[in-house]
């Protein structure tokens, strides 16, 4: 943008562009209620293609909470398919003449035809591939693209307990045990509205420490080791795990299905041979490297510039050590962040004048570049800390 060579793509687009996708076989993964602050409500049903590609079918319109709750069982407006979103989440579609947007949303054009297919369980391909990789490796790949929207992630976990509206869990290894150094992961409600069952379902799971659960959700790129849980199911081969109705096809949509006592196992989890506690390690949450880092000082300086301009940054940075930036940042190993934030503070206060008090350089370009450099580095550093919190 500064050089004047940027194309129209930099400004974004108001409508999605759909491209021809040919014939597709897609299978349901889960439903996610959508409720916006502007009064829109609906549902997004997440799908996976036969080749592992991700797709979605959206039905979001004005209507608020009532629309979000009712859309979960509304008919799917795609190629005349006689299927509702509840059925699609546990079924599949053969789509002929499909149109697909860049983010995988299926369009409902005039030439699109869809035929219902039998659904597949999470233990079958192509859905099983979502749970094949360790969470740390999958999250590192998802966070590699700072501009992209995090995709769905699947993992097998064991319940530790609850912390407010969050469910604390530890990831299971391939042999069904918990590593001694496994971090505590937080499952948060994908939508915290009290009229949606997300929070109630997580609280019910929190009452069963040691429960093995298969989770499908979306990693939160702004919080350490946090997953927005969308659906859960039993862990294959585990004895102390969920017991869902057969018609649910082995998963429960946390935003629409309500877990009951009958869906939970009786008794207590069996200890493995040797009597070792499956909840290896301390029961409390691990340290949050993002919250404990001094990077918040850089963010506060950047936000001051957004709210009050360069003069506000200059005033906030006055003193022998601007906002205590350099010392805490360097002691924590964030030398580059310290240098960039200091350069921003210095540039914000640089107002060269001639002998008559007139500005000799009224351009804000150098300040803009300093702010952008510090903000870009901050985003990369925070993403690195979030990725590290999963391992």
């Amino acid at each position: 943008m500064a050089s004047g060579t940027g194309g129209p793509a930099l400004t974004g687009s108001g409508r999605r562009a759909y491209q021809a996708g040919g014939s597709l076989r897609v299978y349901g993964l889960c439903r996610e209620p959508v409720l916006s602050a502007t009064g829109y409500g609906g549902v997004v049903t997440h799908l996976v293609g036969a080749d592992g590609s991700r797709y979605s079918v959206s039905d979001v319109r004005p209507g608020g909470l009532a629309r979000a709750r009712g859309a979960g069982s509304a008919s799917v407006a795609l190629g005349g398919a006689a299927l509702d979103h509840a059925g699609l989440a546990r079924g599949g579609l053969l789509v002929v003449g499909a149109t697909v947007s860049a983010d995988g949303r299926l369009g409902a054009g005039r030439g699109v035809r869809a035929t219902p297919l039998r659904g597949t369980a999470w233990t079958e391909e192509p859905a099983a591939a979502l749970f094949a990789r360790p969470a740390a490796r999958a999250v590192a790949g998802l966070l590699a693209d700072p501009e992209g929207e995090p995709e769905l992630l699947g993992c097998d976990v064991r319940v530790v307990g609850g912390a407010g509206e969050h469910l604390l869990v530890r990831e299971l290894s391939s042999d069904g045990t918990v590593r001694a150094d496994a971090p505590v992961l937080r499952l948060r409600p994908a939508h915290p509205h009290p009229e949606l069952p997300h929070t109630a379902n997580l609280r019910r799971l929190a009452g069963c420490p040691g429960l093995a659960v298969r989770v499908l959700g979306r990693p939160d790129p702004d919080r350490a080791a946090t997953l927005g849980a969308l659906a859960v199911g039993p862990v294959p081969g585990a004895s102390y795990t969920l017991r869902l109705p057969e018609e649910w096809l082995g998963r429960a949509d946390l935003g629409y299905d309500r877990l009951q006592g009958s869906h939970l196992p009786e008794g207590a989890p069996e200890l493995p041979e040797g009597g070792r506690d499956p909840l290896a390690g301390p029961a409390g949450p691990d340290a949050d490297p993002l919250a404990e880092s001094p990077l918040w000082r850089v963010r506060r300086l950047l936000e001051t510039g957004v709210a009050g301009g360069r003069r506000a940054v200059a005033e906030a940075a006055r003193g022998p050590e601007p906002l205590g930036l350099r010392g805490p940042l360097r002691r924590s190993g964030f030398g580059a962040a310290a240098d960039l934030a200091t350069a921003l503070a210095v540039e914000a206060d640089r107002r060269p004048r001639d002998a008559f008090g007139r500005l000799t350089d009224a351009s804000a370009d150098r300040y803009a570049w300093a702010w952008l450099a510090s903000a870009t580095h901050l985003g990369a550093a925070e993403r690195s800390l979030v990725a590290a919190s999963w391992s």
Side-chain angles (χ1 to χ4, degrees):
M1 293 178 67
S3 64
T5 60
L10 290 177
T11 61
S13 59
R15 297 180 63 86
R16 286 180 172 82
Y18 288 84
Q19 304 294 331
S23 297
L24 299 174
R25 286 179 177 267
V26 295
Y27 301 93
L29 292 172
C30 65
R31 293 170 291 170
E32 177 183 6
V34 176
L35 184 60
S36 74
T38 56
Y40 282 77
V43 63
V44 173
T45 298
H46 297 280
L47 311 164
V48 60
D51 60 352
S53 301
R54 313 292 177 82
Y55 300 96
S56 64
V57 174
S58 176
D59 182 6
V60 179
R61 303 175 188 174
L65 176 62
R67 182 75 175 72
R69 297 174 64 180
S73 56
S75 298
V76 176
L78 182 66
L83 201 63
D84 58 22
H85 282 272
L88 178 58
R90 296 182 173 92
L93 285 176
L94 171 61
V95 186
V96 179
T99 56
V100 188
S101 69
D103 60 354
R105 180 170 297 185
L106 297 179
R110 182 177 301 176
V112 178
R113 296 291 180 269
T115 304
L117 297 175
R118 182 188 70 86
T120 61
W122 282 356
T123 54
E124 304 174 18
E125 294 295 343
L130 294 173
F131 306 91
R133 289 194 300 169
R137 192 187 309 168
V139 168
L142 295 177
L143 295 178
D145 181 10
E147 301 298 329
E149 185 74 17
E151 295 182 347
L152 297 187
L153 163 71
C155 59
D156 294 339
V157 301
R158 194 177 296 277
V159 174
V160 175
E165 294 183 347
H166 291 183
L167 176 65
L168 304 181
V169 300
R170 278 196 170 94
E171 186 180 8
L172 294 173
S173 57
S174 57
D175 59 359
T177 61
V178 180
R179 297 193 335 261
D181 60 343
V184 172
L185 310 180
R186 291 178 178 268
L187 305 186
R188 66 170 180 82
H191 202 295
H193 197 287
E195 294 298 322
L196 297 173
H198 282 114
T199 303
N201 284 331
L202 292 183
R203 285 176 177 169
R204 183 172 288 276
L205 293 175
C208 297
L211 182 70
V213 183
R214 174 161 282 190
V215 182
L216 185 65
R218 184 181 294 106
D220 190 334
D222 300 322
R223 303 182 185 182
T226 301
L227 186 72
L230 298 180
V232 295
V235 174
S239 58
Y240 192 69
T241 188
L242 291 173
R243 307 186 185 281
L244 301 179
E246 185 176 348
E247 59 270 18
W248 285 14
L249 203 62
R251 64 258 203 179
D253 295 329
L254 295 176
Y256 289 103
D257 302 320
R258 291 189 178 271
L259 295 176
Q260 307 295 331
S262 59
H263 300 151
L264 304 174
E266 298 179 355
E270 295 182 4
L271 295 180
E273 188 173 350
R276 187 166 179 266
D277 191 339
L279 302 180
D286 289 354
D288 186 342
L290 186 59
E292 294 183 353
S293 76
L295 289 175
W296 64 268
R297 301 172 184 271
V298 182
R299 180 165 294 282
R300 187 173 71 176
L301 185 66
L302 294 172
E303 291 174 348
T304 298
V306 173
R310 65 185 298 171
R311 300 309 305 163
V313 173
E315 290 296 330
R318 294 192 186 282
E321 191 172 343
L323 284 180
L325 282 174
R326 296 185 64 85
L329 287 169
R330 286 196 173 280
R331 285 193 296 270
S332 300
F334 297 104
D339 292 341
L340 291 169
T342 302
L344 172 62
V346 171
E347 183 58 37
D349 202 27
R350 189 186 68 85
R351 305 283 283 178
R353 299 178 183 273
D354 60 16
F356 299 98
R358 296 172 299 193
L359 286 174
T360 59
D361 182 9
S363 173
D365 285 355
R366 290 178 59 178
Y367 170 76
W369 281 113
W371 189 97
L372 183 61
S374 187
T376 302
H377 180 273
L378 175 65
E382 289 181 336
R383 286 194 303 275
S384 297
L385 290 176
V386 169
S389 69
W390 285 82
S391 58

